[in-house]
């Protein structure tokens, strides 16, 4: 029972960290913006908050792994590979949504 509660707790934390990171990719407002509102005018701030969100995601994933908890179900296979590599670079930012976008861009059959 306690393991189930712990798994649920970490599922929530992983989902929250993933959402926060994805909001930084999309240049949307995050909790981090509230901490440093005067910095939002600086171009380098967007990179900095991406790195902070990435580190938060890696930290939660590392803790889940150390506790033997599942975390990969919240991510696409390619995203799991990026997280496992632990390096945030342009490839991660450019391709984070790649598979989801590819699926949504597939032509739908017209049934006129």
């Amino acid at each position: 029972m306690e393991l189930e509660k712990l798994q649920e707790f970490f599922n929530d934390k992983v989902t929250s960290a993933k959402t926060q990171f994805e909001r930084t990719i999309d240049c949307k407002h995050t909790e981090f913006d509230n901490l440093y509102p005067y910095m939002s005018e600086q171009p380098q701030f967007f990179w900095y908050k991406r790195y902070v969100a990435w580190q938060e995601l890696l930290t939660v994933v590392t803790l889940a792994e150390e506790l033997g908890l599942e975390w990969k179900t919240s991510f696409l296979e390619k995203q799991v590979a990026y997280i496992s590599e632990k390096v945030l670079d342009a490839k991660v930012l450019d391709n984070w949504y790649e598979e989801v976008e590819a699926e949504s861009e597939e032509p739908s059959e017209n049934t006129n």
Side-chain angles (χ1 to χ4, degrees), residues 8-105:
E8 184 178 331
F9 172 80
F10 269 92
N11 287 347
D12 291 344
K13 293 299 178 188
V14 167
T15 299
S16 175
K18 179 183 179 199
T19 300
Q20 190 86 321
F21 177 66
E22 289 176 346
R23 289 185 65 80
T24 67
I25 292 175
D26 298 335
C27 295
K28 293 183 178 177
H29 185 84
T30 66
E31 294 172 9
F32 195 73
D33 293 287
N34 297 337
L35 294 173
Y36 301 102
Y38 55 88
M39 291 292 293
S40 64
E41 301 300 320
Q42 304 296 323
Q44 68 271 24
F45 179 70
F46 292 101
W47 277 101
Y48 184 69
K49 78 178 195 175
R50 286 176 182 153
Y51 282 110
V52 169
W54 179 249
Q55 186 57 47
E56 178 184 356
L57 180 60
L58 292 179
T59 300
V60 172
V61 164
T62 299
L63 289 172
E65 285 180 342
E66 288 177 3
L67 292 169
L69 300 171
E70 177 56 46
W71 60 270
K72 296 177 183 178
T73 56
S74 299
F75 299 92
L76 300 170
E77 190 174 315
K78 183 174 271 191
Q79 293 169 339
V80 170
Y82 293 147
I83 292 168
S84 297
E85 292 173 9
K86 298 184 180 196
V87 176
L88 179 61
D89 58 16
K91 172 181 72 171
V92 174
L93 298 173
D94 292 343
N95 299 316
W96 184 258
Y97 296 117
E98 186 175 275
E99 291 180 37
V100 174
E101 290 173 357
E103 290 172 6
S104 65
E105 291 176 4

